[in-house]
Structure formats: structure tokens, C-alpha cells
Amino acid sequence: MHSTLTEHARCLYGDEYRPTPECGFEHREHYFVEELTFADADSIVAMLRELCPHVADGYLPVWVRNLSYRLVLLQRPDEPELMREAAENLWLHGPDWDVIATDLTRQAEALEAS
């Protein structure tokens, strides 16, 4: 087993900034999805920030990014900064998700106003 979610993602998808380490583990996407599903918010955010530090970069598939932000926001529903980061990711990789991105931005503004 990989020691962190980031390490697992790096082995499976690669890393734009660092070489993919040699790894003897079996890399099947469903194992990663299972780990991601039950990961804590800190682990998920660490993975996103390390493998996609500028939102428009990195090798994580768009669906992994979207799922990651969704899982983080379910665990941290009151963090406007994360809502805006998720919205930025959706705008960058959509127009399919523009409505959701707009809603996230509105929620962030409402949280900050209260």
C-alpha cells in the first residue's frame, strides 16, 4: 500500500513536476478511488495542492479533481476558500459545470457575509 493518497495518485497518474517513483504495487484505478473515497479532507487537499498546484496543471484526470473537491467540500462545508478553489477548477474544465461553479461562488460569498 502507498503511504499517502498523494503518493498513490502520483504512481497512478504521474506528476508534472517530479518523476514518477518506481513502485512495485498493483496500480488499478478502482483501488485509488476507494482510497480517495474514504480519505480525510487534509489528505485530499494535500494531493490536489501537490499534484495540481496551479489548477490548470498536473496530470490528475478532471473527474478525479472534481470528485476530490466534492469530497473535500462534504467534509468542510463552511470553507469559502475551498469553495472558490473548487469553482475555479470547475470553470477551467467545463462549461458543463458552470452552474455548479457559480453556485459554489455564491455560497462562499454568503458564508463570508455572515
Side-chain angles (χ1 to χ4, degrees), residues 20-41:
T20 302
E22 292 295 323
C23 181
F25 295 118
E26 185 176 1
H27 293 102
R28 295 199 182 189
E29 203 162 50
H30 71 275
Y31 294 141
F32 173 74
V33 172
E34 288 173 0
E35 185 176 356
L36 175 63
T37 299
F38 297 102
D40 61 83

Side-chain angles (χ1 to χ4, degrees), residues 1-15:
M1 196 61 141
H2 297 91
S3 62
T4 67
L5 183 66
T6 301
E7 183 182 297
H8 195 166
R10 183 177 285 120
C11 284
L12 186 60
Y13 300 110
D15 187 336

Side-chain angles (χ1 to χ4, degrees), residues 5-107:
L5 183 66
T6 301
E7 183 182 297
H8 195 166
R10 183 177 285 120
C11 284
L12 186 60
Y13 300 110
D15 187 336
E16 187 172 354
Y17 300 99
R18 293 172 45 183
T20 302
E22 292 295 323
C23 181
F25 295 118
E26 185 176 1
H27 293 102
R28 295 199 182 189
E29 203 162 50
H30 71 275
Y31 294 141
F32 173 74
V33 172
E34 288 173 0
E35 185 176 356
L36 175 63
T37 299
F38 297 102
D40 61 83
D42 290 338
S43 297
I44 297 170
V45 170
M47 176 194 69
L48 289 166
R49 300 254 165 89
E50 188 165 337
L51 298 180
C52 309
H54 306 290
V55 182
D57 59 354
Y59 296 146
L60 286 180
V62 171
W63 72 267
V64 171
R65 293 175 194 220
N66 290 350
L67 178 59
S68 296
Y69 280 112
R70 179 67 176 141
L71 292 170
V72 166
L73 291 175
L74 286 170
Q75 294 179 54
R76 294 184 180 169
D78 299 325
E79 292 193 26
E81 182 181 327
L82 282 173
M83 287 179 180
R84 284 194 177 86
E85 189 176 316
E88 185 178 350
N89 181 74
L90 290 171
W91 275 314
L92 186 65
H93 297 293
D96 297 344
W97 305 292
D98 285 358
V99 172
I100 296 168
T102 300
D103 187 49
L104 284 170
T105 302
R106 284 188 193 128
Q107 287 178 43

